[in-house]
Each structure stands twice: as structure tokens, then as C-alpha cells.
DNA sequence: GGCTTGACTAATG
DNA sequence: TCATTAGCCAAGC
């Protein structure tokens, strides 16, 4: 059957995989950069996940559902982005406390690397 | 082809 | 809880 996610059609190289994986996260749920990286097959590329999202311009990707392992929003200088992210998450039912969210309660179990078997 | 940058993570103090 | 350090890896120049 048609593969659930085809990284290549979502973008070039690594970024496309990141977008595809992040797109799997349903509203009201959260994932960490490490989770996305692990879903891609390499937990060590968490940094690259953030880098990929930083270059993201597609509203079709719920980038705001991706936070760091500490349950905090990190946008590395883009404060406006952080405000938007927090607002969207709260809009989806995610509760924030002291700038941190309840990652334990909202964490979404990402599936293993998007099956692009070929 | 090599160096630098970067929305991270885990460990330590 | 916060600050610092070391490690990993892809994209850009």
C-alpha cells in the first residue's frame, strides 16, 4: 500500500524526513527533538532536527509540537517564534507551567523511522 | 573536500 | 534548578 510517509516527497534529504515525522504528531501532543531524531533512526541527530525545523517554512508541519527534552521551548533567538509555539500548544490543550509544559502527559510515541522501504 | 554553525541530549557540579 | 562540558551529525559556504 502507499507508504504512509515518503520523505522524498516532503522535502530534500534529512529535512524532508524531519517534516514527515513531525507531521505524524497529532494536535495536543508533544515530542522532543530527540524523539524525532530517534524516529528517523538516529537519536544523535536531535540537533539537526532543530536545525531542520529552523529552516522550515511550511505551515503544514506542526513544528510547534516539537520541544526539547526538558519540556521547554527552544528557538535559539527567535523569541517571537517561541511565543507563537506556546500559544499554539496552549490552544491545543497543552498546559504550560513556568515556561515549561507537562511533557510526561502530552508526549506522543513516534513510530520507528518512516517506512521508506525501497 | 574541509571548516563552521546549530530550535539538542546527557552527564556533572 | 541552573550552568558548563563533550559528543553527534547534516547543511551551508
Amino acid at each position: 500500500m502507499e507508504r504512509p510517509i515518503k520523505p522524498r516527497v516532503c522535502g530534500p534529504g534529512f529535512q524532508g524526513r524531519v517534516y514527515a515525522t513531525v507531521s505524524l504528531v497529532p494536535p495536543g501532543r508533544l515530542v522532543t527533538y530527540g524523539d524525532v531524531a530517534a524516529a528517523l533512526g538516529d537519536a544523535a541527530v536531535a540537533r539537526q532536527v532543530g536545525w531542520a525545523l529552523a529552516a522550515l517554512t511550511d505551515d503544514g508541519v506542526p513544528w510547534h509540537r516539537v520541544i526539547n527534552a526538558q519540556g521547554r521551548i527552544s528557538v535559539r533567538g527567535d523569541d517571537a517564534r517561541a511565543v507563537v509555539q506556546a500559544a499554539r500548544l496552549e490552544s491545543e490543550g497543552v498546559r504550560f507551567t513556568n515556561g515549561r509544559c507537562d511533557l510526561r502527559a502530552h508526549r506522543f510515541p513516534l513510530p520507528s523511522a518512516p517506512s521508506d522501504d525501497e
Side-chain angles (χ1 to χ4, degrees), chain A residues 77-94:
Chain A
D78 226 325
D79 193 59
R81 200 94 174 190
V83 175
V84 173
Q85 184 168 13
R88 287 192 181 189
L89 291 176
E90 290 186 296
S91 179
E92 296 182 350
V94 178

Side-chain angles (χ1 to χ4, degrees), chain A residues 51-96:
Chain A
W51 163 85
L53 294 180
L56 177 61
T57 56
D58 188 344
D59 288 329
V61 180
W63 56 268
H64 57 280
R65 294 175 193 145
V66 184
I67 59 178
N68 63 24
Q70 299 181 344
R72 305 182 73 175
I73 293 175
S74 298
V75 287
R76 204 80 169 194
D78 226 325
D79 193 59
R81 200 94 174 190
V83 175
V84 173
Q85 184 168 13
R88 287 192 181 189
L89 291 176
E90 290 186 296
S91 179
E92 296 182 350
V94 178
R95 292 171 53 186
F96 274 82

Side-chain angles (χ1 to χ4, degrees), chain A residues 16-39:
Chain A
R17 291 186 180 183
V18 173
Y19 303 156
T21 303
V22 174
S23 297
L24 299 176
V25 183
R29 295 291 182 178
L30 301 172
V31 292
T32 69
Y33 297 96
D35 286 341
V36 176

